[in-house]
Amino acid sequence: MNIIGKVTVLPQLPAPLARLSELAYNLYWSWTPHAQALYQELSPELWERFQHNPVRLLLEVPQDRLDAAAKDADYLGRYAAVMADFDAYMQKKDTWAVSNAAQMKPVAYFSMEYAYHESLPIYSGGLGVLAGDHCKSASDLNIPFTAVGMLFHQGYFRQLFDKDGWQNEAYDELDLTTLPIRPALNDSGDEVRVSVRIAGREIAVKVWTLQVGRIRVLLLDTKLPENSEDDQKLTARLYGGNQELRIQQYVLLGVAGIRALRALNVPAEVYHMNEGHAALMALERMREYVAGGLDFRTAAETAASSTLFTTHTPVAAGNDAFAYDLMDKYIGEWPGLLHAGRDELYGLARHDQNWDGHMVPAFSMTVFALNMSRAANGVSELHGEVSRGMWNFLYPGAEENEVPIGHVTNGAHNLTFTSQKMRDLLSTVLPADWTERLEDEAMWQAVEQLSDAQLSDVQREMKREMIAFVRGRVREQLQRNGASAADLAATDKLLDENTLTIGFARRFATYKRATLLLRDKKRLAAIVNNPERPVQFVFAGKAHPADNPGKAFIQEIYRTSQEPEFKGKIVILENYDMNVARHLVQGVDIWLNNPRRPLEASGTSGMKASFNGSPNFSVLDGWWREGYDGTNGWPIGEDREYADLNVQDDADAFDLYQRLEHEIAPRYYGSGEGKESWAHTVRDAIETVSPHFSMQRQVIDYVRQYYIPLSVRGSKMQENGSTRAREIAAWKAWVRQQWPHTSISAQANLPATAQPGQKVTVTAQVNPAGIRPEEIRVEAVLKRGSEVQRFPLTHGEGHTYSADIPLDDSGLYSVGVRMLPLIEGLSNDLEAGLMKWA
């Protein structure tokens, strides 16, 4: 048919159920199973067909079914209870933010992807889930927070396995009229459009709003008739194009995102870049300041003063870097807009790369983000360490542990991933307001009151639901691929509820080593088919469309699952999404994670499993290095890295088999009591992981460590027309000009041996090249093993500095002296990026 237009005919909700539509447009329902049940009961078949989307369900459900529900006293009672809870949530006055962060300024959070729910597939994996959960907890805590992202019309991709287990990709066009989003309206009630100029083209951008509890999300959309076909594709697919498309998407997110905030008069005084994709927001923020009369350097200083950058990528190749000529094509007008030279602007992002055997300057999104922020963090303690090592070169002469990149360990949104059955059980021992105090460690000790039988009963129910889900998904896949009646019938025997079940689900990047379990298949077969202590595995995950090695891992697991000794006992599900993730983390007995350390920045899936009582069995990388306490799960391998990757894989695989055979399976099937029981491990997992790795704890950490301090710093920098920012910018320019002409020499009165507590005299002579003494710090640096101590030297006559340095402990010390420029108002001692050693 030749379609000339579309119209959405909305159902006429009966008066008693009138607010079902209001609730459908607030993603509060996405972490509230009782709210989801209201829609599911109207039509279970439609609920499943349309990916649990209440907006679409209300469009499709027959009017007579709505009328019947409006007369069902039991349904009306549950509807009233859900709406009462919703109203209490939305109208609550004494929230965490009111009591603990009243001075906090509004935050604008930029991320390329967000995972809120499977019905809104604008995410690919962990980064999106983290961003979505961050928004949900920002709502729970009621902090002033607005998120900005992209409305991808084809999302990521739908994963389909062929008969041989090879991943194929399908892209489905979203029908925006059936999503829980609405056009953003300005104060006059008009739909908001902004525009952004890319490669000389003016591109129109529509802004949509998504309500997530108490907070708002702005989504950018270029699929508009006034745009060219190519420009409409800028918001077609997530991570689906070449470098040129990615750059344009980054300009769109950063520049149009800031303009969307302004067009809607959304207040923002702290800006949070979630990964380097969002770094180009700094261009527009600098342009605003330059348009207001500031010079480029002062504008850069002012914009950076209120910006936080979170890096998620511990692999150098994963940090986007583009050739200068490619950047010229897409942001070539920006030096002129900023009244800056090209080298001056690009210098903020310069990272020389070895391309085809030649060192060439590249525009690194991560370097730009680091230089255009005054606070930065990794997403776990170990990832913070790795990041400081990766970016140490930006701070010449600095020790690795001095690099100003901190960490906030990731969390997960407890209520999104904890099953309703487990929530009901927890409510029997936790305080009535426990969902508002998820980070409260002491509160979780009440889990000790749950009996072994209570935990076992709930987990068995969740496991049954998961197994039914797995069987249904595999049956659908087999039917699509033309399987025989016998193969279809065999799905009824997939997995066994009495067997120890281990889950593994994540992005199939090769460093995550999804096939490590298969390294010794003979030994694995013995474990799986142990007559007294059998084990079964459920896998899920997507490989990037261009990642053939990742796809080969998927196929290897699929083919293994078809071998006689593993059939029905190893299963891999296609199309991993939030729905699959919820079923697995709520239903498995153990969560497996075995990346090649230290390449897992954090990971969060195992946290979600432990919320439901499933202990972790994981490499000591990312969050588990901090979470494992010796009793709440099991490690794989040692707290170390290997120079030889094959040796590392062999060692980790051996340890995996050993622990599974000799520790985990015996405990699961054993009859031990007290601390020797399986239930003890389950309780310990819930009690330790739930508070420490709640998203609520994570967002509170961001508020205290970064959002509030940055809001204070940003305000100071912007006072009186950015006077302080201008002074700092001018000082940095002067110091960088003078620094090559400075020099330092030093002497230390060091005996051959010394006693603990003995002092040694260190002196230095400095040529400051005109830099004032109060703007130079001269210090002795003592290094003993990995421990570094710094002692300032006192300025004496002329340009001489000295101090008596104590040698407190025994050991071999290395002594050095260095100087660095400092001025009041810097975010950290290394902000100027200058240091000189004697």
Side-chain angles (χ1 to χ4, degrees):
M1 109 182 240
N2 184 26
I3 299 174
I4 62 171
K6 290 185 177 183
V7 60
T8 301
V9 180
L10 298 173
Q12 186 63 45
L13 284 170
L17 303 178
R19 296 185 67 198
L20 279 178
S21 181
E22 174 193 345
L23 180 62
Y25 280 90
N26 188 316
L27 263 65
Y28 167 86
W29 57 260
S30 71
W31 66 87
T32 311
H34 288 317
Q36 295 167 34
L38 292 177
Y39 301 102
Q40 181 180 16
E41 288 180 43
L42 293 174
S43 174
E45 188 270 332
L46 292 175
W47 182 250
E48 290 302 321
R49 188 197 307 175
F50 297 122
Q51 291 79 48
H52 314 137
N53 179 351
V55 174
R56 183 66 184 271
L57 181 135
L58 291 178
L59 291 173
E60 302 286 347
V61 70
Q63 187 69 47
D64 59 356
R65 178 68 190 97
L66 292 171
D67 293 339
K71 298 174 184 176
D72 183 335
D74 184 56
Y75 185 91
L76 288 174
R78 282 179 281 113
Y79 166 79
V82 166
M83 296 311 302
D85 287 345
F86 176 55
D87 289 340
Y89 178 89
M90 295 297 291
Q91 298 166 14
K92 186 177 175 61
K93 303 299 182 186
D94 56 333
T95 59
W96 181 89
V98 170
S99 303
N100 297 276
Q103 75 276 38
M104 184 179 157
K105 304 298 184 183
V107 175
Y109 179 91
F110 282 59
S111 183
M112 195 70 172
E113 56 173 301
Y114 292 91
Y116 298 111
H117 189 260
E118 60 269 18
S119 62
L120 187 63
I122 55 172
Y123 62 94
S124 72
L127 181 72
V129 175
L130 182 88
D133 282 7
H134 196 117
C135 293
K136 291 173 182 177
S137 284
S139 168
D140 293 340
L141 296 167
N142 196 29
I143 64 173
F145 187 93
T146 304
V148 180
M150 309 263 274
L151 182 58
F152 293 104
H153 286 250
Q154 296 178 8
Y156 194 39
F157 65 87
R158 183 161 48 90
Q159 180 193 51
L160 303 169
F161 294 162
D162 64 18
K163 293 180 180 180
D164 198 33
W166 187 257
Q167 171 183 297
N168 293 284
E169 296 86 33
Y171 291 89
D172 302 318
E173 191 77 18
L174 298 177
D175 183 349
L176 303 192
T177 64
T178 67
L179 297 178
I181 59 174
R182 291 190 168 107
L185 305 178
N186 61 21
D187 294 340
S188 302
D190 300 320
E191 290 191 6
V192 168
R193 295 281 200 283
V194 297
S195 66
V196 60
R197 192 171 175 82
I198 301 177
R201 311 182 317 275
E202 203 69 37
I203 301 170
V205 183
K206 181 174 181 176
V207 185
W208 297 82
T209 62
L210 173 70
Q211 197 69 30
V212 179
R214 302 176 178 117
I215 69 116
R216 180 162 54 159
V217 183
L218 307 183
L219 298 174
L220 310 174
D221 176 15
T222 64
K223 191 176 182 184
L224 301 170
E226 55 264 45
N227 289 332
S228 70
E229 186 176 343
D230 284 343
D231 290 341
Q232 290 186 35
K233 291 179 180 177
L234 290 177
T235 54
R237 296 179 182 177
L238 174 63
Y239 307 140
N242 56 21
Q243 281 201 317
E244 297 203 31
L245 177 64
R246 288 174 79 99
I247 294 172
Q248 294 176 83
Q249 289 179 329
Y250 297 167
V251 174
L252 183 67
L253 174 62
V255 176
I258 293 292
R259 292 177 182 175
L261 290 170
R262 306 299 186 250
L264 287 162
N265 293 318
V266 176
E269 296 187 40
V270 174
Y271 295 81
H272 188 168
M273 303 172 178
N274 189 43
E275 193 49 282
H277 313 133
L280 297 184
M281 72 154 75
L283 293 176
E284 176 64 6
R285 293 193 62 215
M286 286 191 287
R287 187 200 63 79
E288 292 177 328
Y289 287 122
V290 168
L294 300 186
D295 63 275
F296 169 71
R297 291 174 179 168
T298 304
E301 200 66 51
T302 306
S305 69
S306 56
T307 303
L308 167 67
F309 169 54
T310 297
T311 176
H312 295 261
T313 311
V315 184
N319 291 269
D320 285 318
F322 304 103
Y324 276 12
D325 59 351
L326 201 57
M327 297 303 293
D328 288 343
K329 181 177 179 180
Y330 294 107
I331 67 166
E333 298 176 353
W334 281 88
L337 292 173
L338 300 176
H339 300 172
R342 172 184 183 262
D343 289 345
E344 191 173 23
L345 176 59
Y346 286 16
L348 292 170
R350 180 169 177 167
H351 184 187
D352 292 350
Q353 307 276 316
N354 188 336
W355 286 341
D356 298 325
H358 302 282
M359 293 301 294
V360 296
F363 191 105
S364 165
M365 301 298 286
T366 303
V367 172
F368 191 57
L370 286 167
N371 281 322
M372 288 308 303
S373 58
R374 289 296 173 261
N377 70 283
V379 291
S380 70
E381 183 179 55
L382 181 57
H383 180 233
E385 294 174 16
V386 170
S387 298
R388 288 188 286 276
M390 286 180 65
W391 305 107
N392 198 167
F393 71 92
L394 295 174
Y395 306 91
E399 295 287 337
E400 189 173 297
N401 62 5
E402 297 177 297
V403 172
I405 300 176
H407 81 275
V408 171
T409 300
N410 282 348
H413 189 251
N414 303 59
L415 300 186
T416 293
F417 295 99
T418 307
S419 74
Q420 186 62 55
K421 291 182 178 66
M422 181 58 76
R423 286 161 69 165
D424 291 343
L425 179 60
L426 292 171
S427 293
T428 64
V429 295
L430 296 178
D433 63 345
W434 69 273
T435 60
E436 299 169 28
R437 297 166 50 194
L438 294 165
E439 78 287 356
D440 185 344
E441 296 175 34
M443 177 191 77
W444 285 95
Q445 293 174 11
V447 169
E448 297 290 337
Q449 300 170 28
L450 296 174
S451 71
D452 295 10
Q454 286 176 305
L455 289 167
S456 177
D457 289 347
V458 165
Q459 291 190 297
R460 181 59 60 94
E461 284 188 66
M462 291 151 57
K463 193 174 187 179
R464 287 179 184 138
E465 290 181 11
M466 180 200 71
I467 289 174
F469 174 78
V470 168
R471 290 172 177 174
R473 278 298 187 95
V474 173
R475 192 177 299 115
E476 289 175 13
Q477 175 191 327
L478 292 175
Q479 285 175 326
R480 190 189 66 249
N481 287 326
S484 67
D487 284 341
L488 291 174
T491 60
D492 292 335
K493 297 182 180 178
L494 279 178
L495 306 181
D496 172 66
E497 69 175 65
N498 297 308
T499 296
L500 173 61
T501 305
I502 298 179
F504 178 104
R506 56 192 32 85
R507 185 166 55 91
F508 264 63
T510 51
Y511 77 85
K512 292 179 182 285
R513 299 189 302 183
T515 57
L516 186 71
L517 183 70
L518 311 182
R519 205 162 178 86
D520 185 343
K521 289 174 72 172
K522 183 177 180 181
R523 187 168 185 185
L524 177 62
I527 292 171
V528 165
N529 295 294
N530 185 307
E532 296 180 357
R533 298 195 293 260
V535 182
Q536 58 195 10
F537 296 86
V538 183
F539 288 85
K542 292 179 177 179
H544 187 278
D547 184 6
N548 284 331
K551 292 182 181 181
F553 275 18
I554 291 173
Q555 186 175 55
E556 184 179 352
I557 293 170
Y558 178 83
R559 288 176 170 175
T560 299
S561 74
Q562 302 305 302
E563 296 173 9
E565 61 267 47
F566 300 114
K567 201 167 182 67
K569 298 166 185 176
I570 292 181
V571 179
I572 183 166
L573 300 179
E574 65 181 8
N575 203 34
Y576 181 48
D577 65 2
M578 290 190 73
N579 185 31
V580 173
R582 277 197 312 276
H583 278 90
L584 295 192
V585 300
Q586 292 173 7
V588 299
D589 298 306
I590 286 279
W591 195 260
L592 176 66
N593 186 24
N594 44 237
R596 183 175 286 118
R597 177 187 155 124
L599 302 182
E600 182 84 296
S602 176
T604 59
S605 295
M607 304 172 186
K608 303 158 192 170
S610 286
F611 296 164
N612 290 283
S614 301
N616 271 276
F617 180 31
S618 302
V619 167
L620 292 169
D621 195 8
W623 79 275
W624 187 235
R625 180 173 178 254
E626 301 166 50
Y628 175 59
D629 71 356
T631 63
N632 60 352
W634 291 269
I636 296 172
E638 300 176 341
D639 190 8
R640 53 167 289 197
E641 286 87 54
Y642 293 75
D644 187 312
L645 300 185
N646 276 319
V647 171
Q648 182 174 7
D649 291 352
D650 283 339
D652 287 348
F654 179 79
D655 195 53
L656 188 158
Y657 296 134
Q658 285 288 103
R659 291 186 188 274
L660 188 51
E661 281 184 306
H662 301 297
E663 297 179 34
I664 297 174
R667 176 169 283 246
Y668 180 81
Y669 289 104
S671 56
E673 298 180 354
K675 292 186 177 181
E676 304 304 315
S677 68
W678 180 258
H680 176 77
T681 306
V682 169
R683 272 190 292 268
D684 218 25
I686 296 171
E687 186 179 329
T688 58
V689 174
S690 296
H692 282 287
F693 301 99
S694 68
M695 179 55 70
Q696 202 148 298
R697 186 276 308 155
Q698 180 200 301
V699 175
I700 289 171
D701 283 353
Y702 274 109
V703 170
R704 290 173 171 164
Q705 294 180 38
Y706 295 112
Y707 292 163
I708 291 177
L710 278 170
S711 68
V712 173
R713 176 180 173 77
S715 295
K716 289 181 178 177
M717 290 296 112
Q718 293 178 55
E719 286 176 355
N720 302 317
S722 292
T723 297
R724 190 60 186 145
R726 182 178 290 104
E727 292 169 350
I728 289 176
W731 175 82
K732 284 181 180 177
W734 155 253
V735 166
R736 286 169 181 159
Q737 175 183 305
Q738 297 302 109
W739 199 249
H741 307 296
T742 63
S743 62
I744 181 173
S745 60
Q747 306 81 37
N749 180 22
L750 299 177
T753 61
Q755 298 294 320
Q758 187 174 334
K759 293 183 178 182
V760 296
T761 300
V762 176
T763 59
Q765 293 77 40
V766 170
N767 170 18
I771 302 173
R772 295 187 299 172
E774 59 267 30
E775 294 174 358
I776 290 180
R777 174 186 290 172
V778 180
E779 58 188 16
V781 180
L782 270 63
K783 191 168 185 181
R784 185 173 66 97
S786 60
E787 180 186 348
V788 177
Q789 293 178 286
R790 292 173 286 276
F791 298 91
L793 273 59
T794 302
H795 184 214
E797 293 185 7
H799 301 306
T800 300
Y801 295 76
S802 65
D804 292 330
I805 309 301
L807 305 174
D808 291 329
D809 297 304
S810 60
L812 178 61
Y813 285 88
S814 298
V815 181
V817 176
R818 67 185 185 184
M819 66 176 181
L820 59 162
L822 288 174
I823 192 175
E824 184 182 352
L826 298 184
S827 60
N828 62 80
D829 291 354
L830 303 184
E831 186 182 315
L834 301 172
M835 182 181 295
K836 192 164 285 187
W837 288 83

